[in-house]
Amino acid sequence: KQEVTQIPAALSVPEGENLVLNCSFTDSAIYNLQWFRQDPGKGLTSLLLIQSSQREQTSGRLNASLDKSSGRSTLYIAASQPGDSATYLCAVRRASSASKIIFGSGTRLSIRP
Amino acid sequence: GAGVSQSPSNKVTEKGKDVELRCDPISGHTALYWYRQSLGQGLEFLIYFQGNSAPDKSGLPSDRFSAERTGGSVSTLTIQRTQQEDSAVYLCASSFGGRVSGNTIYFGEGSWLTVV
């Protein structure tokens, strides 16, 4: 059974710092991994998708890496801004069942001005 | 439409009543998902539709929950005899379908259900 874990559950850092959010999964047989952002009271916004054959993806100040063998992904945020404050979730699409996308419980990020 | 549209955005209902939640996916997306997110919790998979294939209903928590997708587009999630533990935000998502690894999924804003 695929399980997705995100640690820490919450993180608070001062503005301008570079930071890393962690995501781990128990079954390395995945199709892809996707990082999302969720603002309070809102739906999820897709940030980056990494296919199983890829090692990393970049978009602006965001960089996501994938290490399937160790069951880990990281989301790197450079030069953090107060507007980055949100909950960040990772989600894994399993290779054994393309339908099921398993989500972690998220990291609630707060950037202090 | 430009994005995934869900209605109603908020619903307060009395315990025991039935509710229907609607999802209108992005035009051209053949895959449609329903998830549930309770307060402060992660996303719980409910059901998945892909084209004309039989839906994956393995995440539905009880037989009070059902969903249909008409014409391969709009989907309705129905909860019968609602209970207080059904209170949550119900999120719908869509993507281009099939077992293609590169398919990004897009979420609606959710339907916030409160059972009193």
Side-chain angles (χ1 to χ4, degrees):
Chain A
K1 177 184 176 184
Q2 178 72 277
E3 293 183 0
V4 181
T5 304
Q6 292 185 250
I7 296 174
L11 180 65
S12 179
V13 301
E15 180 178 4
E17 279 200 6
N18 302 326
L19 59 98
V20 174
L21 306 181
N22 297 297
C23 172
S24 61
F25 46 95
T26 54
D27 185 350
S28 62
I30 64 171
Y31 268 133
N32 63 35
L33 183 144
Q34 194 165 351
W35 281 93
F36 293 87
R37 167 187 174 137
Q38 186 175 31
D39 292 286
K42 300 290 188 181
L44 278 69
T45 300
S46 177
L47 297 174
L48 290 165
L49 180 143
I50 309 176
Q51 299 184 33
S52 59
S53 59
Q54 297 176 324
R55 297 281 292 182
E56 66 177 343
Q57 283 287 333
T58 298
S59 176
R61 293 183 294 108
L62 305 180
N63 175 276
S65 68
L66 174 64
D67 183 343
K68 282 201 310 179
S69 61
S70 66
R72 292 184 178 183
S73 177
T74 62
L75 179 67
Y76 175 84
I77 303 177
S80 58
Q81 302 170 359
D84 295 331
S85 297
T87 296
Y88 290 81
L89 298 103
C90 69
V92 171
R93 186 190 292 265
R94 299 170 60 186
S96 61
S97 172
S99 64
K100 286 188 178 177
I101 300 173
I102 310 298
F103 282 81
S105 55
T107 294
R108 190 172 67 254
L109 176 65
S110 175
I111 307 298
R112 305 189 300 271
Chain B
V4 178
S5 178
Q6 292 189 245
S7 61
S9 55
N10 284 283
K11 176 72 175 180
V12 180
T13 190
E14 293 181 352
K15 179 181 174 181
K17 294 287 181 67
D18 298 351
V19 295
E20 286 188 350
L21 307 177
R22 174 189 168 104
C23 174
D24 197 346
I26 292 172
S27 179
H29 282 187
T30 57
L32 186 147
Y33 311 77
W34 283 99
Y35 285 84
R36 177 170 71 174
Q37 187 177 34
S38 300
L39 187 64
Q41 302 297 311
L43 272 74
E44 175 188 5
F45 169 81
L46 297 178
I47 189 169
Y48 163 76
F49 295 90
Q50 168 50 39
N52 296 320
S53 301
D56 179 348
K57 304 179 181 181
S58 60
L60 294 178
S62 76
D63 58 8
R64 296 186 296 105
F65 288 73
S66 63
E68 63 177 21
R69 189 178 185 191
T70 54
S73 181
V74 173
S75 177
T76 302
L77 176 69
T78 301
I79 309 172
Q80 296 179 311
R81 305 180 302 282
T82 52
Q83 303 294 313
Q84 288 185 332
E85 61 262 29
D86 299 334
S87 297
V89 58
Y90 290 81
L91 291 161
C92 177
S94 72
S95 72
F96 290 110
R99 297 171 67 89
V100 178
S101 63
N103 290 341
T104 299
I105 62 172
Y106 298 90
F107 280 82
E109 292 292 302
S111 290
W112 294 76
L113 175 65
T114 303
V115 182
V116 297

